[in-house]
Amino acid sequence: MQMTPDLAKQDCSACPIRHRAVCARCEPDELTRLEEIKFYRTYEAGQPVAWAGDKMDFVASVVSGAATLTQTMEDGRRQMVGLLLPSDFVGRPGRSGASYDVVAVTDLVMCCFRKVPFEQMMATTPHVAERLLEMTLDELDAAREWMLVLGRKTAREKIASLLSIFARRDVLVGAAHTRSVEFDLPLTREAMADYLGLTLETVSRQMSALKRDGVITLKGKRGVLVPDLDLLMEEAGDDSDGGMLS
Amino acid sequence: MQMTPDLAKQDCSACPIRHRAVCARCEPDELTRLEEIKFYRTYEAGQPVAWAGDKMDFVASVVSGAATLTQTMEDGRRQMVGLLLPSDFVGRPGRSGASYDVVAVTDLVMCCFRKVPFEQMMATTPHVAERLLEMTLDELDAAREWMLVLGRKTAREKIASLLSIFARRDVLVGAAHTRSVEFDLPLTREAMADYLGLTLETVSRQMSALKRDGVITLKGKRGVLVPDLDLLMEEAGDDSDGGMLS
DNA sequence: CCATTCGTTTGATCTGCGTCAAAGCGCACT
DNA sequence: AGTGCGCTTTGACGCAGATCAAACGAATGG
């Protein structure tokens, strides 16, 4: 959780309000104010960012790495309710504590803003509040999309749906109209199971099945090669194009 | 979908920004502007409010009755992703179309605001934008709570979780510290199944089981009596107090 | 009054996934 | 090289919930 001075001045395109990429309407002095209250934190794989109920005095967005939001029942059953990948946002303006356990699953760099000045900024600059609302609506859509996965999809479809999420972040256009992708899974089988409402054994079995059927190829322990993204998305039972066109 | 003149002047405490109850900071002229762009619509049970992809030129909140947000796969599998009860909000500022099918499940009255003037209002009055963000965050929390239900709870726990949602809206304090509640189920068994990721048969069986075990009593077709709310919430596997204290 | 329809209940059977158990990898230490 | 540890894979078996099927009750309408 130490500061990383070498990052302190970096111009981070994945900042909470994505001020370079999206908030083009921001005035220069607004950007300056954002830069002033910004700092970076790093976490190691497995390290907690916050436990449910803890006070969180900052909001942040992921620069690199991945983190998970999970909920746990008293008897130990766990459900991941959010997956934070680069550019995703954490922290609730107007709420004192974290609602869920936030844990780094790989080495993680986050771009943070102290909560109090950030909220002041929100209250005075409509752009920021609007951008935050837009991001929250996106999260809500993602959560609802996932409700369909959890409630109605088979184990195989669930795995394919999860792989699609990662695959769609790194699409390569191959020859002959097939889109192939290669990426590293940031999650263990257990974490995948927690996300999908399955057990790790079922996850493992279905991964093997998808491999056997040629939908994916496993490269070492973490690497996954998807020769045909369309085939994967068909396996996921997804009617949409996965947002590739938007 | 006809206008209801008798409602047109009613002071609706469940309006989108809940301006009477919540937006106490609003100036009188802001309230007046809201009143000016407000109108009411009624729908009959079963009637669609909007299909996924349709343009929705208004945002609204539920005054009375209930509506559902559902997602459907090509093969017909359906998952409800949201349940709209009085005071709940529908419609996305900044988005052109509905993301999900919105259907009235009982007779429904909605308090609507034309989208364009509402968004103008949002852009100029920080209260409204903040209130909307707060409401969206609440929805997001509810969606994530529901992900735990869908992913990790047993059929019996799922039913109890759903019943808790309705029960907590109408709590009566009984004698001897037990809290008893009585309410009408606004959903059919099939709709409950769509919400819970189950089949209607399983829903029916588990309802019977809860009745047999004295957790609930069925009054006619739709009426449900919960003699002890704490017992129901224990069945739901809920560690929280259900927000009763907050 | 009966017939139709729509939602609900209940039963019998099947199956996908969970559970329990054991073995197979890398990979980091010593 | 050898040992231990964390993660993954694979197998055997059982069960919760799906599926298929039938009957029931209440409301509606001729």
Side-chain angles (χ1 to χ4, degrees), chain B residues 215-226:
Chain B
V215 181
I216 58 174
T217 310
L218 301 181
K219 304 269 193 180
K221 183 165 268 181
R222 285 295 171 89
V224 176
L225 168 66
V226 180

Side-chain angles (χ1 to χ4, degrees), chain B residues 226-245:
Chain B
V226 180
D228 182 354
L229 185 53
D230 295 321
L231 178 56
L232 179 65
M233 287 179 35
E234 198 173 313
E235 289 286 349
D238 235 331
D239 45 349
S240 77
D241 66 318
M244 298 305 299
L245 300 177

Side-chain angles (χ1 to χ4, degrees), chain B residues 37-52:
Chain B
I37 61 172
K38 174 174 115 181
F39 60 99
Y40 290 87
R41 278 191 178 155
T42 64
Y43 301 85
E44 290 170 19
Q47 203 180 350
V49 175
W51 297 116

Side-chain angles (χ1 to χ4, degrees), chain A residues 2-243:
Chain A
Q2 64 279 23
M3 296 284 297
T4 46
D6 57 310
L7 285 172
K9 303 242 168 195
Q10 139 179 348
D11 179 26
C12 147
S13 65
C15 273
I17 32 60
R18 296 185 204 166
H19 47 276
R20 299 292 179 224
V22 174
C23 243
R25 289 175 305 167
C26 272
E27 303 296 327
D29 65 309
E30 290 170 357
L31 292 177
T32 305
R33 284 170 58 200
L34 281 170
E35 292 294 333
E36 280 167 4
I37 61 172
K38 174 174 117 182
F39 60 99
Y40 289 87
R41 279 194 177 152
T42 64
Y43 301 84
E44 291 170 18
Q47 203 179 353
V49 175
W51 297 115
D54 282 2
K55 263 219 295 212
M56 262 185 62
D57 58 347
F58 61 94
V59 298
S61 70
V62 176
V63 176
S64 66
T68 59
L69 302 182
T70 57
Q71 237 174 333
T72 311
M73 296 172 67
E74 316 92 19
D75 62 7
R77 280 178 283 177
R78 288 198 304 163
Q79 176 64 50
M80 196 185 303
V81 295
L83 179 60
L84 299 171
L85 296 173
S87 94
D88 288 336
F89 185 79
V90 225
R92 305 306 182 69
R95 310 221 165 172
S96 51
S99 310
Y100 310 101
D101 298 333
V102 184
V103 179
V105 286
T106 65
D107 288 348
L108 178 69
V109 179
M110 298 218 300
C111 171
C112 309
F113 294 77
R114 304 204 154 282
K115 188 174 232 161
V116 173
F118 186 81
E119 284 179 357
Q120 283 166 356
M121 175 121 194
M122 247 185 67
T124 53
T125 61
H127 316 314
V128 178
E130 272 175 40
R131 176 74 192 113
L132 219 45
L133 175 59
E134 194 183 323
M135 288 169 64
T136 306
L137 285 169
D138 286 342
E139 274 188 275
L140 183 57
D141 276 346
R144 286 176 164 165
E145 191 97 7
W146 208 248
M147 285 171 63
L148 176 64
V149 173
L150 290 173
R152 291 300 183 195
K153 292 196 176 176
T154 65
R156 174 184 260 246
E157 288 169 334
K158 284 179 174 181
I159 300 288
S161 298
L162 180 56
L163 293 177
S164 296
I165 289 180
F166 298 115
R168 291 204 290 249
R169 310 201 124 227
D170 294 285
V171 189
L172 303 171
V173 177
H177 300 289
T178 68
R179 298 180 291 178
S180 76
V181 202
E182 194 166 354
F183 59 92
D184 280 328
L185 266 178
L187 301 179
T188 65
R189 297 291 122 103
E190 187 179 22
M192 291 174 71
D194 283 342
Y195 202 17
L196 295 166
L198 299 169
T199 59
L200 79 255
E201 293 96 329
T202 299
V203 171
S204 180
R205 271 186 256 272
Q206 296 297 338
M207 290 285 286
S208 300
L210 287 174
K211 184 173 109 187
R212 172 173 37 74
D213 298 344
V215 181
I216 58 173
T217 310
L218 300 182
K219 304 269 190 180
K221 183 165 269 182
R222 286 294 171 91
V224 176
L225 168 66
V226 180
D228 182 354
L229 184 53
D230 295 321
L231 178 57
L232 179 65
M233 288 179 34
E234 198 172 313
E235 290 284 349
D238 234 334
D239 44 350
S240 77
D241 67 317

Side-chain angles (χ1 to χ4, degrees), chain B residues 84-221:
Chain B
L84 299 170
L85 297 173
S87 95
D88 288 337
F89 186 79
V90 225
R92 306 304 181 70
R95 310 220 167 173
S96 51
S99 310
Y100 311 101
D101 298 335
V102 184
V103 179
V105 285
T106 64
D107 288 348
L108 179 69
V109 179
M110 298 218 300
C111 171
C112 308
F113 295 77
R114 304 204 152 283
K115 188 174 230 159
V116 173
F118 186 80
E119 284 179 358
Q120 283 166 356
M121 175 120 193
M122 249 186 65
T124 54
T125 61
H127 314 315
V128 178
E130 272 175 41
R131 177 74 192 114
L132 219 45
L133 176 59
E134 194 182 324
M135 288 168 63
T136 306
L137 286 169
D138 285 343
E139 275 189 274
L140 182 57
D141 276 345
R144 286 176 163 166
E145 191 96 8
W146 208 249
M147 285 171 63
L148 176 65
V149 173
L150 290 172
R152 292 301 184 194
K153 291 196 178 178
T154 65
R156 173 182 262 245
E157 288 169 335
K158 284 178 174 181
I159 300 288
S161 298
L162 180 55
L163 293 177
S164 296
I165 289 180
F166 299 115
R168 292 203 290 248
R169 307 201 126 228
D170 294 286
V171 190
L172 304 171
V173 176
H177 302 289
T178 68
R179 298 180 291 178
S180 76
V181 202
E182 194 166 355
F183 59 91
D184 281 328
L185 266 179
L187 302 178
T188 65
R189 296 292 123 102
E190 188 178 22
M192 290 173 71
D194 283 342
Y195 202 16
L196 296 166
L198 299 169
T199 59
L200 80 254
E201 294 95 328
T202 299
V203 170
S204 180
R205 271 186 254 273
Q206 296 297 337
M207 290 285 285
S208 300
L210 288 174
K211 185 172 108 186
R212 172 172 38 73
D213 299 344
V215 181
I216 58 174
T217 310
L218 301 181
K219 304 269 193 180
K221 183 165 268 181

